[in-house]
Structure formats: structure tokens, C-alpha cells
Amino acid sequence: MPFAAPATPVDLKRVRVRLIKADERAQWDVLMRAHHYLGFVALVGRSLRYVAEIDGHWLALLGWASGALKVASRDDWIGWSPTLQWQRLACIANNSRFLILPGERVKNLASRILGLNLACLSQDWQLVHGHRLILAETFIDPARFTGTCYRAANWVELGHTRGFSKSNDTYTAHGQQKRIWVYPLHPQAQSILSGAVAHPALPRLEVKMMVLSDTDAQALFARLTAIDDPRAKRGLRHQQRSLLAIILCAVISGAQGSTAIGEWVKRLPVAMLRRLRCRRAQDGSYERPSEPTIRRMLKAIDIEQLERQLGGWLQTQGERGEPIALDGKVLRGTRSIGSGKDTLQLVSAFGHHSGMVMNQVAVPDKASEMKAVKPLLDAMELSGRVVTADALHTQTETAQYLVEEKGAHYLFTVKDNQATLKADIASLHMEASPP
């Protein structure tokens, strides 16, 4: 048995931390279950198990699991939006178990083990799970521990939890607040996780399914109720607002087109079906709308009315400080009202990284696109954001509106339509300046 006190005093320089071997897992689980004050059942999500040893004798056990879904102090410290949180939560690992095995107490042993573990954690995570980590977190019960070893290992204390535990999709209040500690595994962890533009250190992760909270669902459905239902009243199986909420959440999660949305719906857990107010069957189960039902709703809905109602809500789901792009598009196979033309011109404002359309307005022609900027952006919160646009919008009036009225920054393209400005820029010889 590897768990036995070493024959000689522990030399911290000889302590080694490694991943357990496959045939050691049962023993690791037994020891954790027997000696940790919380006991042990399993590690949540993706996980790693470590052992700290000296000359083959086990000194401590460490367990890492997927990061907690929502932690207010951590999320505020990172500064990320709900959209980025869904996309990048996999870059956080939680030190859910740390056990110094019974035996003689050794000064600085715990902080030494933590330091060794953190040095190899991200690389080991990549070997096992296919990507590196950006941040480590843990929760400490202040009634039992002061967090001295975490502080000595340079962890950062952020605050405390609200005292809830999560089981499947249910949160239960237990009143035992825990202290939240984090350790950046990259020196720019905060800006990498919260940045609107993907940092090279971020792994290419599959976009996670959007998790809609009860509060978010209530705010969303309050807006959807005001949208007219174009369908005939007879034979309706699904509420319009439920279908629209499903479509919206699927698109935010990365689904494109009715087929992808239909596949997304098939993977929805029961909790999300409830929050999206899907139809209940006689046996109490939730019915999932089919792909044809979704397709018919996409064709029938008044898109302009939908955007007017959802623009503000979408902005709350977008990335914090995300740059906004202005762009005009001609939709083929559409007809502008009163124009007699078979095309519809739209001017949109959308997030650079998330791709979410925050608002859009219809214009009769290309020349009217410049006049659409103010009605397009008036309702949007742009303070401190960067707004980009093509050469058509490189106008003094637009720049003044963004800076003086919206408190935003701008990045415009300069082409031959602004010959004097283009010549002035050329005279600066900016190609000789560093990026």
C-alpha cells in the first residue's frame, strides 16, 4: 500500500506531484472518502487526480474538476459577459479536493504541494482533455480552514459564496458560505477570459449550450409577449414565445439555420425545456418542437418587430465592451416596402466576436445608409466601446455623434471618397510606425 509514513523526515525538495496511474484510482478514491471531511463521491465534469509522494510514499491527494458554473465574485473579477462565460468556462479548473494524509505535520508541505501541482496542471489538462487552462479556483470553508497554504502559494482571495449547493439543476441554500480563491495560470488570465477578441492563448473550444437562468428567462419572455403571433389560432401546439426563445438561445449557442436549431433542441436538458416553457405532454414530459415547426416560425415572424423587442435584451447577453461593427447588406429575394424593387437594404450593428446582431434598420437605398446610423445606435449603450464601419460611414457627422453623444470610439476606413483625408493620412507615413 502506498499510503504509509516515510521512514525519514520529509525533505520538501524531494516531494513529487504526479497524476495517478489507472490502477491507483480505486485506492485514491478510498483514501479521499475515508479522510476528507466532505467525504467523496465523484469529481464533477472533466477531472484530474493527483498524488504527492516522496520515495513512493503518498503524502497528499488532490482532485481537480470543471469550474463552477456561476460564482459572482469570480465572474466580477474576470469581467466576462454571459456569452463569453458559456464559451470559456472550460478554461477554469476547480480544486475541489485537497487532502494531506494523516501523519506527522510538516511545515510548508501543503503550499509546496500546491505550487508543484499548479506548475504542471495546465499541461496535464491539455494531455488528458485536449486544451490548456487559464485559471484555477477553489472554495474554502472558513469555519475549518484559513487558507494559509493557498495564500502562501500566491492564490488570490476574492470574497465568499452565497451559501448554496448545486445538485443537477437545483440550487439548495445551506447557509455555509465559503471563501473563493483563484490562481491565474496565465499572467493575463483576466484579460484573456474577458477579452472581446479571442486571445491566442485561448484554446479552440466547442461553443457550449447556452444556459438560461430563471431570471434571464423571465426578462426574455416579458419582451416576447409583446410580439404579434402571425399564425392561425387553430391547431397550435407550441406557444410562439416559446418557439422564439428556443430559436434565439440556439442562435446564441452557435446554431445556424432551422436544421441546426432542430438538432440543438434535441439536446436540450429538461431544466432548459422548462425555462423555455415548452409544451407539457399528458405524462408530464416536455415536448420539443420539430424542425419544420421552427422553420415555419422563422418564415412567418415579423423580424423588424422581433428586433425592436429584443435589441435591449441581446445587448445584456453580448460581451462586455465588445466592439460593434456597422454594415449594410442587401437581402436577395426580398422586396422593399413601397420601392418596387425586389431587394431589401438593411443596416446592422453586430458584435465583432460574438456575431450577435444588436439592432438593424431597413433603408430604401445605399445612399440612405449614412442617415440610418443615429436611429440604429440611439438605443444602444456604447460608452467606451469601439465602433467600426466601412468607408461609406467615414463622415464628420457620424464621428461627432459617436464621440460626443454616445461616448464611443471609432475606427473608420478611408478610401477615395475622402480624397483630402486620404492624402493627409498618406503624408503621415504611418506605414513606418509599429502596430
Side-chain angles (χ1 to χ4, degrees):
M1 177 182 292
F3 172 43
T8 58
V10 173
D11 180 1
L12 294 181
K13 294 182 180 180
R14 294 167 54 211
V15 174
R16 177 184 173 218
V17 175
R18 63 171 176 81
L19 288 169
I20 64 168
K21 301 173 184 177
D23 59 359
E24 295 173 331
R25 176 166 175 169
Q27 180 66 17
W28 190 99
D29 289 358
V30 167
L31 291 173
M32 187 65 75
R33 191 176 299 115
H35 298 290
H36 197 278
Y37 79 99
L38 292 175
F40 181 74
V41 177
L43 296 172
V44 177
R46 294 182 173 181
S47 62
L48 292 179
R49 288 170 168 80
Y50 284 91
V51 59
E53 63 180 4
I54 185 169
D55 298 331
H57 298 285
W58 287 14
L59 302 175
L61 311 177
L62 302 99
W64 294 86
S66 296
L69 181 61
K70 291 185 178 181
V71 184
S73 297
R74 179 204 66 190
D75 297 337
D76 289 342
W77 180 81
I78 293 173
W80 56 8
S81 67
T83 300
L84 288 182
Q85 184 178 342
W86 303 321
Q87 295 175 357
R88 299 174 183 175
L89 185 63
C91 295
I92 300 179
N94 185 288
N95 181 208
S96 61
R97 291 291 188 273
F98 183 18
L99 171 67
I100 301 294
L101 290 167
E104 184 179 351
R105 295 177 62 88
V106 179
K107 186 177 181 180
N108 299 325
L109 176 62
S111 57
R112 170 66 175 172
I113 291 173
L114 272 176
L116 291 172
N117 195 180
L118 291 169
C120 62
L121 176 62
S122 185
Q123 184 176 355
D124 288 342
W125 199 274
Q126 183 174 32
L127 290 173
V128 177
H129 299 300
H131 67 87
R132 298 183 72 88
L133 297 169
I134 304 297
L135 187 71
E137 67 179 13
T138 194
F139 306 129
I140 296 176
D141 186 349
R144 291 176 173 268
F145 308 104
T146 61
T148 302
C149 66
Y150 288 91
R151 186 177 293 107
N154 296 318
W155 287 60
V156 180
E157 185 177 5
L158 300 182
H160 57 78
T161 65
R162 294 176 56 196
F164 283 78
S165 62
K166 185 175 185 295
S167 177
N168 295 323
D169 295 306
T170 303
Y171 288 88
T172 304
H174 52 63
Q176 299 175 358
Q177 294 184 337
K178 293 186 178 181
R179 307 301 295 178
I180 303 164
W181 295 71
V182 296
Y183 182 88
L185 295 169
H186 189 286
Q188 301 173 24
Q190 285 174 278
S191 60
I192 290 173
L193 291 173
S194 63
V197 179
H199 190 279
L202 280 172
R204 295 183 178 273
L205 298 170
E206 181 181 352
V207 177
K208 291 181 175 291
M209 178 176 289
M210 178 183 182
V211 179
L212 194 68
S213 68
D214 288 326
T215 302
D216 288 338
Q218 186 175 3
L220 174 59
F221 277 94
R223 293 175 179 270
L224 293 175
T225 302
I227 298 175
D228 298 331
D229 192 341
R231 301 174 299 170
K233 302 300 181 183
R234 186 175 180 180
L236 296 181
R237 293 179 60 83
H238 300 278
Q239 296 183 54
Q240 175 183 256
R241 58 181 185 172
S242 175
L243 291 174
L244 292 177
I246 287 172
I247 291 169
L248 182 65
C249 293
V251 170
I252 292 177
S253 298
Q256 298 182 7
S258 59
T259 301
I261 295 173
E263 293 297 322
W264 185 85
V265 172
K266 293 178 181 179
R267 297 187 286 112
L268 280 174
V270 173
M272 276 288 284
L273 293 173
R274 174 183 63 80
R275 294 189 182 108
L276 292 171
R277 306 186 185 182
C278 291
R279 187 174 186 270
R280 297 294 291 269
Q282 291 184 352
D283 61 1
S285 62
Y286 291 93
E287 292 188 6
R288 304 168 191 263
S290 64
E291 187 273 336
T293 299
I294 293 169
R295 183 168 10 97
R296 288 192 295 269
M297 175 54 65
L298 287 170
K299 290 181 177 180
I301 193 65
D302 184 337
I303 298 299
E304 291 187 3
Q305 187 184 27
L306 180 65
E307 287 170 346
R308 286 196 300 270
Q309 294 295 327
L310 293 182
W313 186 83
L314 281 172
Q315 290 181 53
T316 66
Q317 303 301 304
E319 302 169 2
R320 185 178 300 177
E322 181 181 20
I324 300 297
L326 305 183
D327 193 19
K329 295 293 183 185
V330 175
L331 302 187
R332 291 179 298 176
T334 59
R335 181 180 295 275
S336 300
I337 299 175
S339 69
K341 298 179 180 179
D342 288 331
T343 59
L344 175 63
Q345 178 81 23
L346 295 175
V347 184
S348 304
F350 60 91
H352 266 258
H353 183 58
S354 66
M356 274 199 270
V357 176
M358 307 299 181
N359 197 13
Q360 66 182 16
V361 296
V363 295
D365 50 47
K366 192 73 173 177
S368 302
E369 189 175 323
M370 291 183 291
K371 299 179 181 179
V373 171
K374 193 174 187 300
L376 176 69
L377 300 180
D378 268 344
M380 296 182 61
E381 175 54 52
L382 297 177
S383 180
R385 289 192 179 192
V386 175
V387 178
T388 68
D390 59 21
L392 180 66
H393 296 284
T394 307
Q395 308 290 334
T396 301
E397 183 180 354
T398 302
Q400 288 177 334
Y401 165 73
L402 289 172
V403 174
E404 297 174 3
E405 296 188 35
K406 303 301 292 184
H409 310 282
Y410 63 85
L411 181 62
F412 293 161
T413 303
V414 178
K415 292 184 177 180
D416 292 336
N417 65 319
Q418 296 281 0
T420 302
L421 179 58
K422 184 177 181 181
D424 290 341
I425 294 174
S427 68
L428 297 175
H429 300 291
M430 295 184 68
E431 65 274 7
S433 303

